[in-house]
Amino acid sequence: MDKRKVIHAYRSGYISIQECAQIIGLDSRQIPGLMSGMPAADEKAGKRKIPVTGATS
């Protein structure tokens, strides 16, 4: 399985950090260090997340 897809699934909240580490084959303590060198998919595409606000009256 593609490690980038596994990390994306973790960042999206579909899997836990323990599941991510198990799929990749690392210890869960190594995952934050691995991800610090990888841009998020939104950052790589040049997109920014814009918070959704409620309508004001």
Side-chain angles (χ1 to χ4, degrees):
M1 180 173 270
D2 187 5
K3 292 179 183 179
R4 292 172 294 183
K5 289 184 179 182
V6 175
I7 292 172
H8 177 71
Y10 165 68
R11 284 182 169 167
S12 299
Y14 293 112
I15 61 175
S16 69
I17 194 165
Q18 290 83 10
E19 291 168 322
C20 179
Q22 185 177 16
I23 294 167
I24 293 175
L26 296 174
D27 187 66
S28 60
R29 292 174 284 170
Q30 294 173 301
I31 299 295
L34 175 70
M35 291 193 320
S36 66
M38 294 180 60
D42 291 342
E43 293 172 8
K44 190 173 13 175
K47 299 176 185 175
R48 289 186 288 163
K49 291 185 180 181
I50 300 172
V52 177
T53 58
T56 57
S57 328

